[in-house]
Amino acid sequence: MRSAGWRWLVALCALALLASACGGDDSTGDGVSPPATSAPSQDLEDGQDEERGDSQPVDQESRDADEVSPEPTAAPTLPDEEPLPSEPDEIYGGTLVFALESETTGGWNPITTSAATSGHIVLRQLYDPLVIEGTDGQAIPFLLESFSSNDDYTEWTFTLRPGITFHDGLPVNSAALIRHMEELGNATLSRLAIEEAEIQSFEAIDDLTVKVTLGKTFVDFPLGFTSAGGFLGSPAMYDLGTDSARNPIGTGPFMLEEWVEHEVTRLVRNPNYWRTDAEGRQLPYLDAIEFRPFEDDEARYNTLRAGDVDASVDNGGRRVQEYNEGFKTYWQGGQYTATTSVLMNTARPPFDNQEIRQALAQCTDRQTLNTVLWDGQLPATGPFSPGTPGYLEDSGFPDYDPDAGRAVFERLGAPSFEITTTITTLDLLQAELLVQMWGECGLDVSINQMLQTEAVTSAVFGNFSTFVAVNHSGYSLAMERFWWHSGYSYPLPVPAINFGRVADPRIDAALDEAITTDDEERQRELAEEINRAFADGVYNIWLYHSRWLIAAQDHVNGIDNLTIPGGGEHPKVFLGRVFLAETWLDR
């Protein structure tokens, strides 16, 4: 590793009050931080995923400043799932207190809110998605009993499960599904997806079946209903207009009892929930869940360690050993992980210039940054993690070459700009490191920290120069078109899902074909072409593949259990999102 890189590392270890990878928490509470063991990196073999086990991370050996970047160590492992107890009385009851990384200030109407991971965790308890992601890369019916298409994927038939009611007692039927899809077409951002599919009509075939006619072939159309767009709300909720944000009415295992913004979101058991567990027992097990937001990851960890919460979500690699040793840990697998990157706004100077974007990438010592944040995980080569279709060991992304980057800035002028990030200790550490790296190339960069929902809003409206983003699981290439296709790159300040306003003919062509073919090998080739186009255009500076974690106290069980009606398996802790209907507490 270059000596300059180690200077950045040492400088950041000295940041006051920051418990980073250079130091851990002191359990005595006296303010002295003992040395922390190093965090593991992701397994980088293409197509390989972690097996569940109890092994712990390996300490990184001390290295001299003149050594090369460290080799990645073993990836964090997941514990074995625990069997449910045999006595039903031992399962039911209790309140789970769950720490989130942010508040969802837009409320709990899934169509109108702006929800990051924490928001999706709450929404998955209030609503059921029409469809969920399967571990094999295929969509699985969930609230739907089935879906099917005609030969050219222009007509889709959705059939709901019988006997399900919303929280308000209204039936889940074809009329409710059509109303939901109409509301999707009225909302600011979801309307874009509806327009993309060129929906021509909705037709109720019977009380539970709806035929959707599209104006184009769209092979992955059902996967658009795995997230917020698929959380079915009651027609009565939509009748409330803006008040629906505080009055969610879904079909989920829990119902909203109280929401004190930035303090607590309390959900209580839905006594009429439709799902059962694998043994036929009524869900959910818990009486209630209290979600409490902690914007700062250090505060969230310390609250869990103190026993003030039962479980917590995290998305950083600095405390892998502390989490694994101190709690039950549920890690997302290596496939279909989101990628953390610096996203540049290509719609305005200076990053409308590809040469400037490439120079910034050359001034970014990604290996040093990953040593701080993920113990030497090799830098991401693109938006797709190992094992995900489209992953390339070498995509052609620019190598770290500060001399070349500095020469560009000396010739074209060194721009001043902001880096936008969220309010967490981890994100501040990350931004500080990037600013110092870029400063050594002669750049004047300031940090703009804001709440997560505010940061997302800034990205939607293009009010940023550079933005630290965590996105792109790669689960469906067709669904990525909303983030990358130039058709979603609107002139500022029109809101756009394509945050960076990327407009690349190669990316557009690949995304256009991706929605028309169900051939898996061709889908992989198209994803690889997109990966190379991103490397050539340098629209993002790819940093590392984020590994979401749910950590829980010993008395919390089954936090990643999910019994899918009709069978199938869902990726565990997918993008940090979990279903908690089958979570139970030891008495």
Side-chain angles (χ1 to χ4, degrees):
M1 183 178 294
R2 297 171 183 265
S3 59
W6 281 111
R7 289 201 301 274
W8 291 321
L9 183 62
V10 172
L12 283 174
C13 288
L15 287 176
L17 304 179
L18 286 183
S20 70
C22 307
D25 282 331
D26 176 16
S27 59
T28 64
D30 61 5
V32 179
S33 298
T37 55
S38 55
S41 73
Q42 174 158 327
D43 192 324
L44 294 166
E45 291 185 24
D46 193 2
Q48 184 173 343
D49 199 358
E50 290 75 16
E51 297 293 328
R52 294 176 181 268
D54 297 321
S55 61
Q56 300 297 328
V58 180
D59 288 348
Q60 179 179 316
E61 296 179 357
S62 300
R63 292 174 171 85
D64 294 329
D66 292 333
E67 281 189 43
V68 298
S69 299
E71 293 292 326
T73 57
T77 57
L78 298 100
D80 293 330
E81 290 187 16
E82 299 189 10
L84 292 174
S86 58
E87 295 297 327
D89 288 345
E90 296 180 15
I91 302 176
Y92 291 99
T95 297
L96 177 74
V97 182
F98 197 112
L100 299 174
E101 61 170 354
S102 67
E103 178 62 278
T104 303
T105 56
W108 306 114
N109 179 337
I111 291 178
T112 60
T113 193
S114 177
T117 293
S118 289
H120 280 278
I121 292 174
V122 178
L123 289 171
R124 286 197 173 199
Q125 319 317 318
L126 293 168
Y127 303 87
D128 294 300
L130 295 167
V131 177
I132 63 171
E133 305 89 350
T135 54
D136 60 357
Q138 301 298 317
I140 301 175
F142 197 75
L143 196 58
L144 292 179
E145 186 174 65
S146 66
F147 58 80
S148 61
S149 73
N150 62 356
D151 291 340
D152 65 357
Y153 301 99
T154 59
E155 289 183 358
W156 288 89
T157 301
F158 288 174
T159 300
L160 292 156
R161 298 182 187 278
I164 302 175
T165 59
F166 293 102
H167 297 157
D168 59 3
L170 290 178
V172 173
N173 56 23
S174 56
L177 179 56
I178 289 175
R179 175 67 184 277
H180 174 75
M181 291 187 176
E182 289 173 343
E183 292 294 329
L184 286 172
N186 294 330
T188 301
L189 293 180
S190 61
R191 182 183 72 248
L192 302 177
I194 295 295
E195 292 174 350
E196 168 64 32
E198 298 180 9
I199 292 179
Q200 306 296 301
S201 65
F202 308 116
E203 179 184 356
I205 304 301
D206 57 37
D207 193 49
L208 294 174
T209 306
V210 173
K211 183 172 75 172
V212 184
T213 302
L214 312 181
K216 63 164 61 171
T217 295
F218 207 125
V219 297
D220 274 355
F221 183 65
L223 282 172
F225 299 97
T226 59
S227 191
F231 291 141
L232 191 63
S234 169
M237 180 185 75
Y238 298 129
D239 289 340
L240 296 173
T242 56
D243 289 341
S244 63
R246 290 191 168 273
N247 295 277
I249 308 173
T251 64
F254 297 93
M255 306 178 293
L256 180 67
E257 181 181 77
E258 180 185 30
W259 180 31
V260 181
E261 199 167 332
H262 298 294
E263 292 185 19
V264 65
T265 301
R266 179 175 170 82
L267 311 184
V268 294
R269 188 176 190 271
N270 174 8
N272 301 311
Y273 189 51
W274 61 279
R275 273 200 311 123
T276 59
D277 67 13
E279 298 183 28
R281 295 176 293 207
Q282 180 65 40
L283 295 174
Y285 301 141
L286 296 167
D287 287 336
I289 305 175
E290 291 185 0
F291 291 105
R292 299 179 184 174
F294 295 86
E295 297 284 350
D296 183 73
D297 53 299
E298 289 300 306
R300 192 165 60 254
Y301 172 79
N302 289 330
T303 299
L304 180 69
R305 190 181 64 170
D308 295 332
V309 298
D310 301 306
S312 177
V313 63
D314 198 79
N315 183 28
R318 299 175 301 136
R319 293 194 176 279
V320 172
Q321 182 159 326
E322 290 97 324
Y323 275 123
N324 280 350
E325 291 181 348
F327 308 97
K328 291 180 178 177
T329 54
Y330 305 83
W331 293 90
Q332 178 177 353
Q335 191 179 31
Y336 302 126
T337 61
T339 302
T340 296
S341 68
V342 177
L343 187 152
M344 292 167 279
N345 190 341
T346 67
R348 67 185 193 188
F351 299 112
D352 56 347
N353 185 324
Q354 188 273 348
E355 197 172 5
I356 292 289
R357 297 196 299 270
Q358 178 168 309
L360 189 67
Q362 290 172 322
C363 289
T364 308
D365 187 351
R366 298 179 295 146
Q367 186 62 74
T368 291
L369 184 141
N370 291 357
T371 297
V372 173
L373 301 178
W374 271 105
D375 189 35
Q377 178 187 140
L378 294 178
T381 63
F384 307 115
S385 60
T388 303
Y391 170 76
L392 292 170
E393 186 173 342
D394 181 7
S395 65
F397 190 83
D399 292 329
Y400 176 55
D401 189 348
D403 292 337
R406 191 180 300 111
V408 170
F409 293 129
E410 289 174 353
R411 175 167 52 85
L412 299 180
S416 298
F417 58 91
E418 281 186 342
I419 180 170
T420 299
T421 189
T422 60
I423 302 176
T424 70
T425 303
L426 172 65
D427 285 350
L428 177 60
L429 176 64
Q430 185 167 249
E432 290 276 7
L433 181 54
L434 290 167
V435 166
Q436 191 157 356
M437 290 175 182
W438 297 339
E440 294 204 6
C441 276
L443 303 178
D444 179 19
V445 185
S446 58
I447 298 172
N448 183 14
Q449 281 194 294
M450 56 182 67
L451 296 175
Q452 191 171 78
T453 51
E454 294 173 351
V456 172
T457 300
S458 294
V460 167
F461 284 93
N463 296 327
F464 70 96
S465 292
T466 61
F467 181 87
V468 178
V470 185
N471 207 343
H472 312 308
S473 69
Y475 189 87
S476 165
L477 187 60
M479 292 299 112
E480 298 287 3
R481 69 184 284 107
F482 301 111
W483 305 104
W484 296 335
H485 198 283
S486 65
Y488 299 98
S489 176
Y490 304 116
L492 300 175
V494 178
I497 304 177
N498 182 342
F499 295 159
R501 270 62 179 182
V502 174
D504 188 301
R506 291 167 61 192
I507 294 175
D508 285 354
L511 291 172
D512 288 339
E513 185 179 347
I515 66 173
T516 68
T517 178
D518 58 4
D519 183 272
E520 293 183 4
E521 183 56 34
R522 182 57 182 158
Q523 287 274 354
R524 179 183 297 276
E525 292 171 355
L526 293 171
E528 291 175 353
E529 172 65 10
I530 288 173
N531 200 344
R532 295 186 185 96
F534 264 104
D536 294 341
V538 199
Y539 304 111
N540 296 58
I541 301 174
W542 308 111
L543 301 178
Y544 52 90
H545 301 298
S546 301
R547 300 295 305 282
W548 285 97
L549 158 74
I550 306 295
Q553 308 286 358
D554 285 344
H555 62 270
V556 181
N557 304 278
I559 208 158
D560 65 345
N561 286 349
L562 177 64
T563 302
I564 299 175
E569 186 176 354
H570 173 69
K572 305 299 183 183
V573 196
F574 185 68
L575 300 180
R577 307 166 189 178
V578 288
F579 294 88
L580 299 173
E582 295 175 64
T583 298
W584 54 279
L585 307 177
D586 290 334
R587 290 295 178 93

